[in-house]
């Protein structure tokens, strides 16, 4: 067991897979020589060499195209899109090409690749470098979507994503890079499509993702001080989605809150709310409540960005007020 | 001042250069030339059959035919090795046939049948056959140029000498993905061969009206430190020679190439388009600059008998007739096929 930062866990996870399988290659802007603009990929070039760790031009379409063509012909590429906002300039490759290859060829050609990207707000980068776009990704049939919240989960879900035969978008949260967590020794391989119950409480179920997970846990602490005990579930994987864990928890708590960083309309919590509304309706004792970033672009000023994102205060106050 | 230099459909005709008769003496084996003849016939007759099936209501959706452009696909089909990779556009029936895919799975795919090349899930714009190196037809302009780079990179990492060819139209040279792909391939000296099928029209608009250079692909090459070759895309020998040189260069680690093949589609952009924006004298001149009768005459000049050529075209015709009947009588995909192969496990499940 060792304590690692979420930032360090990125390279640990990639290196684990590159050591295991020579077909794993890694490409992106500034990822090799510079070790990544967030210093997440330091040391990979030195260990694996320039044939397998590639600094690319600022050409997101060329990056994802190269990853896709390589995946179709025997490699297991990991591509980096530096900021998830940049998916907007290469979304054709995600939504039209990579996601649809297996279906359009009726299973003849697959795309076993991983695209990892810095997602989310909290760094005062303004509207074009702060978005949470996991809900864009889960809207496209044919891609899997994961967003780990701890260093150990990041390593394990990176491994699961690389080993998965389907394309996976792995969202790292930029504001989590300096956070620390215990990481087991030895190889870590997690499982896609599994949510994790982090805290048990009988008064409500709170589901959260990425940066919202530590905030939901902090809110749970404050609520506990007021005598309200909530279950906190880290969703971790949006596609595949572990609805069983969520429905099971709601059947015990009878209340559901989602805590989402994506802007409100069509956020991932809306889908979970819909599923629980349809399939867990008779377990519910009150309305499902979504706690989200408002439907706004993000501002750069620290106080405005902080106002936009759900924080522990807002989560706790909303839950307490709702439960009455 | 109007942005366009001419009223719509009133632009200057672009006429073909006469065929280069000296290519008769080019160093190409006669058995390769027979193959070029056969492949051109396979594509022409397949496309004509698809057109007929469309008019008869058997083919739904859209289709983009390559009648008049067969020499390009045929030449690369003859020049590539079985393990090399082809990436084509939505105008890809011919390129698929050129890699050795028979007419039956292609026609069945267009008819939406279970025996289609990709089970009825792809249709006219999404043919693929990995077994024959046909890595797909892509219907979003430009993307597959970037994807072909990945296949070329993969070959290098895996230590093979496979090359990747991306076919695209003149219109693709004005989309960002073209420039990203060419820069990327040139920078890493990837074994990608970029083949522009310049048929003078990006969909319904003359390429010259929207592009500030004469050769939309070749004239961009110097910006990426590359040479380019402009060939008569209606002369299978000319394209074959250019293909052979580019493939050899890519295979030996010499990096990518751009080939711009001048050609013309006999019909419109897609089945919805009669192509009436084209000057009459231009259409007439290009109909006479037809790759297939020219190549027929070239083989006669080289001493191949008329009876041999008639036998080949007859074999192709019989095969397409057989394929058409088989495709027509094949069943539709089973309803449960709707749910298959979203994922590599064969299914479509996204939740537990």
């Amino acid at each position: 067991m060792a304590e690692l930062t979420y930032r360090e866990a990125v390279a640990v996870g990639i290196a684990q897979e590159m050591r295991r399988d020579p077909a794993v290659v890694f490409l992106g802007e500034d990822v090799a020589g510079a070790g990544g603009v967030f210093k997440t990929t330091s040391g990979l070039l030195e260990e694996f060499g320039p044939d397998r760790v590639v600094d690319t031009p600022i050409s997101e379409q060329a990056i994802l195209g190269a990853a896709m063509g390589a995946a179709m012909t025997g490699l297991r590429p990991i591509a980096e899109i530096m900021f998830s906002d940049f998916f907007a300039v290469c979304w054709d490759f995600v939504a039209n090409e990579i996601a649809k290859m297996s279906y359009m060829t009726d299973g003849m050609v697959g795309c076993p690749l991983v695209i990892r990207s810095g997602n989310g707000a909290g760094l005062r980068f303004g509207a074009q470098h702060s978005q949470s776009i996991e809900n864009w990704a889960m809207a496209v049939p044919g891609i899997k979507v994961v967003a780990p919240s701890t260093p150990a989960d990041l390593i394990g879900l990176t491994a699961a994503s690389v080993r998965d035969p389907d394309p996976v978008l792995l969202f790292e949260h930029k504001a989590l890079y300096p956070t620390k967590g215990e990481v087991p020794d030895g190889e870590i391989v997690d499982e896609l499509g599994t949510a994790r119950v982090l805290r048990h409480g009988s008064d409500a179920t709170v589901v959260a993702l990425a940066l919202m997970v530590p905030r939901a846990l902090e809110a749970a602490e404050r609520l506990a001080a007021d005598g309200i005990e909530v279950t906190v579930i880290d969703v971790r994987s949006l596609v595949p989605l572990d609805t069983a864990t969520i429905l099971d928890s709601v059947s015990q708590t009878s209340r559901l809150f989602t805590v989402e960083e994506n802007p409100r309309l069509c956020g991932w919590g809306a889908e979970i709310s819909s599923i629980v509304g349809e399939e867990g309706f008779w377990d519910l004792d009150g309305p499902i409540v979504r706690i989200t970033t408002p439907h706004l672009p993000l501002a750069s000023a620290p106080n405005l960005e902080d106002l936009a994102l759900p924080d522990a205060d807002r989560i706790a106050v909303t839950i307490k007020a709702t439960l009455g | 001042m109007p942005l366009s230099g001419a009223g719509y459909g009133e632009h200057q005709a672009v006429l073909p250069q006469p065929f280069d008769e000296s290519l008769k003496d080019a160093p190409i084996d006669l058995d390769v030339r027979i193959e070029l003849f056969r492949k051109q016939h396979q594509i022409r007759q397949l496309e004509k059959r698809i057109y007929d099936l469309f008019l008869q209501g058997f083919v739904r959706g859209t289709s983009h035919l390559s009648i008049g452009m067969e020499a390009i696909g045929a030449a690369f089909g003859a020049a590539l090795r079985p393990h090399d990779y082809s990436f084509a556009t939505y105008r890809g029936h011919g390129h698929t046939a050129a890699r050795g895919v028979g007419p039956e799975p292609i026609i069945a795919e267009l008819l939406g049948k279970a025996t289609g090349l990709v089970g009825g899930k792809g249709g006219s714009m999404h043919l693929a056959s990995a077994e024959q190196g046909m890595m797909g037809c892509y219907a979003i302009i430009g993307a597959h140029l970037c994807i072909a780079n990945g296949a070329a990179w993969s070959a290098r990492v895996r230590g093979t000498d496979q090359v990747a060819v991306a076919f695209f139209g003149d219109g693709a040279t004005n989309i960002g993905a073209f420039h990203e792909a060419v820069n990327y391939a040139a920078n890493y000296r990837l074994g990608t061969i970029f083949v522009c099928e310049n048929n003078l029209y990006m969909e319904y608009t003359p390429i010259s009206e929207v592009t500030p250079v004469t050769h939309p692909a070749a004239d961009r090459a110097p910006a990426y430190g590359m040479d380019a070759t402009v060939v008569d895309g209606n002369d299978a020998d000319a394209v074959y020679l250019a293909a052979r040189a580019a493939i050899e260069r890519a295979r030996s680690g010499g990096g990518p190439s751009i080939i711009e093949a001048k050609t013309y589609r006999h019909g419109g952009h897609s089945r919805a388009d009669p192509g009436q924006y084209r000057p009459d004298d231009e259409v007439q001149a290009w109909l006479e600059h037809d790759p297939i009768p020219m190549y027929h005459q070239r083989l006669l000049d080289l001493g191949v008998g008329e009876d041999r050529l008639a036998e080949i075209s007859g074999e192709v015709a019989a095969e397409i007739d057989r394929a058409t009947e088989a495709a027509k009588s094949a069943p539709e995909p089973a309803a449960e096929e709707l749910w298959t192969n979203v994922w590599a496990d064969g299914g479509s499940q996204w939740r537990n």
Side-chain angles (χ1 to χ4, degrees):
Chain A
M1 195 70 91
E3 187 171 70
L4 287 185
T5 62
Y6 189 92
R7 185 190 318 279
E8 291 164 330
V10 174
V12 169
I14 295 171
Q16 173 186 295
E17 294 308 296
M18 293 189 77
R19 282 181 206 122
R20 179 186 61 82
D21 183 354
V24 179
V25 291
F26 177 46
L27 73 165
E29 297 158 9
D30 297 325
V31 299
V37 297
F38 299 110
K39 295 295 172 202
T40 51
T41 55
S42 298
L44 295 174
L45 174 67
E46 290 73 11
E47 181 172 355
F48 300 103
D51 289 339
R52 294 178 66 196
V53 181
V54 181
D55 272 328
T56 68
I58 300 176
S59 300
E60 280 82 8
Q61 298 188 75
I63 292 168
L64 294 193
M68 178 180 176
M72 291 165 65
T73 55
L75 297 188
R76 293 270 179 162
I78 304 171
E80 175 177 309
I81 296 298
M82 189 187 291
F83 286 79
S84 65
D85 314 71
F86 305 167
F87 271 109
V89 300
C90 54
W91 198 241
D92 174 42
F93 288 83
V94 176
N96 288 321
E97 314 295 346
I98 291 166
K100 293 176 172 57
M101 179 52 59
S102 176
Y103 195 76
M104 288 200 307
T105 63
D106 202 23
M108 180 196 298
V109 182
C111 285
L113 58 81
V114 179
I115 308 170
R116 37 172 298 276
S117 189
N119 194 45
L123 275 66
R124 322 317 190 188
F125 284 166
Q128 295 181 339
H129 286 69
S130 304
Q131 295 172 87
S132 286
I133 68 147
E134 60 273 11
N135 59 327
W136 306 3
M138 73 183 293
V140 180
I143 46 177
K144 296 178 177 175
V145 184
V146 297
S149 70
T150 67
D153 279 6
L154 177 49
I155 296 169
L157 289 173
T158 296
S161 301
V162 171
R163 297 177 195 201
D164 196 89
D166 294 309
V168 182
L169 264 56
L170 187 151
F171 291 108
E172 295 160 11
H173 200 293
K174 297 192 291 288
L176 290 173
Y177 284 137
T179 62
K180 292 179 178 171
E182 292 293 328
V183 174
D185 297 327
E187 186 181 75
I188 307 173
V189 187
D190 209 321
E191 192 181 346
L192 304 183
T194 54
R196 182 164 289 156
V197 181
L198 299 177
R199 181 189 178 106
H200 289 277
S202 59
D203 294 325
T205 298
V206 179
V207 295
L209 188 78
L211 179 65
M212 296 299 106
V213 173
R215 294 186 178 188
L217 287 170
E218 190 186 334
E221 285 293 317
R222 295 188 193 181
L223 289 165
D226 291 338
I228 298 170
E229 292 293 342
V230 299
T231 291
V232 177
I233 296 175
D234 183 350
V235 180
R236 304 197 321 148
S237 175
L238 293 172
V239 181
L241 184 62
D242 182 3
T243 57
T245 296
I246 296 166
L247 285 163
D248 179 61
S249 175
V250 171
S251 75
Q252 295 167 44
T253 65
S254 303
R255 298 302 296 253
L256 176 65
F257 296 85
T258 68
V259 187
E260 308 164 50
E261 185 176 335
N262 53 210
R264 186 174 183 86
L265 297 192
C266 304
W268 57 261
E271 184 57 47
I272 290 176
S273 299
S274 162
I275 290 168
V276 172
E278 283 186 33
E279 301 172 32
F281 182 78
W282 302 108
D283 291 325
L284 289 167
D285 281 347
I288 298 167
V289 174
R290 294 178 58 213
I291 303 164
T292 77
T293 297
H295 208 64
L296 295 170
L298 288 164
S300 173
N303 68 318
L304 295 181
E305 188 182 58
D306 288 345
L307 272 172
L309 264 61
D311 59 10
D313 263 348
R314 191 164 122 209
I315 298 164
V317 166
T318 304
I319 292 172
K320 190 173 177 186
T322 305
L323 294 180
Chain B
M1 184 177 169
L3 285 176
S4 179
Y8 186 70
E10 295 170 1
H11 53 283
Q12 190 92 33
V14 178
L15 303 179
Q17 296 296 310
F19 285 115
D20 180 356
E21 295 303 334
S22 73
L23 285 167
K24 179 165 85 72
D25 303 319
I28 302 172
D29 292 346
L30 192 59
D31 56 351
V32 171
R33 285 181 145 140
I34 296 285
E35 191 186 354
L36 290 170
F37 177 86
R38 181 184 292 275
K39 283 185 184 297
Q40 290 183 84
H41 268 271
Q42 285 170 333
I43 300 169
R44 171 70 55 97
Q45 295 191 34
L46 173 68
E47 295 285 53
K48 287 177 80 167
R49 176 57 48 88
I50 291 168
Y51 183 71
D52 292 344
L53 289 168
F54 219 119
L55 294 181
Q56 294 161 17
F58 287 103
V59 176
R60 266 67 63 95
T62 188
S63 74
H64 304 76
L65 303 179
S66 56
I67 294 174
M69 302 166 59
E70 298 89 345
I72 301 164
F76 273 88
L80 290 166
R81 292 182 190 164
H83 292 103
D84 291 330
Y85 300 115
S86 293
F87 293 83
T89 68
Y90 49 85
R91 198 183 304 284
H93 311 154
H95 291 296
T96 306
R99 292 306 305 271
V101 178
E104 184 183 335
I106 296 175
I107 294 171
E109 185 62 34
L110 270 66
L111 266 52
K113 296 302 184 73
T115 55
L117 188 58
V118 284
K121 287 188 176 144
S124 168
M125 296 200 284
H126 300 296
L127 302 175
S129 182
E131 191 186 339
Q132 276 115 334
M134 180 61 208
M135 301 309 288
C137 299
Y138 297 80
I140 310 292
I141 302 289
H144 64 294
L145 281 69
C146 298
I147 302 166
N149 279 341
W153 176 41
S154 161
R156 181 190 292 177
V157 173
R158 289 180 289 109
T160 75
D161 64 358
Q162 293 160 289
V163 305
V165 185
F167 302 95
F168 53 97
D170 40 277
T173 65
N174 289 327
I175 204 164
F178 166 86
H179 296 272
E180 290 196 21
V182 174
N183 177 68
Y184 197 90
N187 187 60
Y188 300 115
R189 296 179 70 80
L190 296 174
T192 316
I193 299 155
F194 299 100
V195 183
C196 176
E197 303 176 304
N198 180 0
N199 63 24
L200 311 183
Y201 292 84
M202 51 139 290
E203 303 190 8
Y204 298 26
T205 299
I207 192 66
S208 59
E209 291 281 320
V210 293
T211 313
V213 293
T214 305
H215 299 296
D219 290 351
R220 266 69 177 262
Y224 303 105
M226 291 174 66
D227 298 324
T229 308
V230 179
V231 297
D232 183 344
N234 285 10
D235 186 325
D237 286 338
V239 182
Y240 180 80
L241 291 173
R244 201 165 64 179
I247 292 166
E248 174 53 32
R249 176 189 167 97
R251 220 184 278 298
S252 61
S257 300
I258 291 179
I259 296 169
E260 182 170 328
K262 300 287 285 286
T263 187
Y264 205 75
R265 48 174 155 74
H266 286 186
H269 168 71
S270 69
R271 67 109 188 175
D273 169 28
Q276 286 168 344
Y277 42 81
R278 307 186 299 182
D280 290 343
D281 53 339
E282 181 181 279
V283 173
Q284 193 52 42
W286 281 94
L287 285 174
E288 289 164 13
H289 193 73
D290 187 327
I292 288 188
M294 181 283 285
Y295 211 71
H296 190 108
Q297 185 59 48
R298 183 169 291 165
L299 289 187
L300 292 177
D301 294 346
L302 285 164
V304 181
E306 180 67 53
D307 53 345
R308 176 79 180 111
L309 298 180
E311 182 189 336
I312 293 170
S313 60
E315 285 168 4
V316 170
E319 193 186 2
I320 287 176
D321 284 343
R322 270 196 309 275
T324 304
E325 291 315 307
K328 280 182 177 172
S329 60
E332 292 178 336
E336 53 266 30
E337 291 298 316
L338 178 68
W339 304 98
T340 62
N341 291 321
V342 173
W343 307 122
D345 68 4
S348 56
Q349 195 168 329
W350 57 269
R351 57 169 289 196
N352 59 10

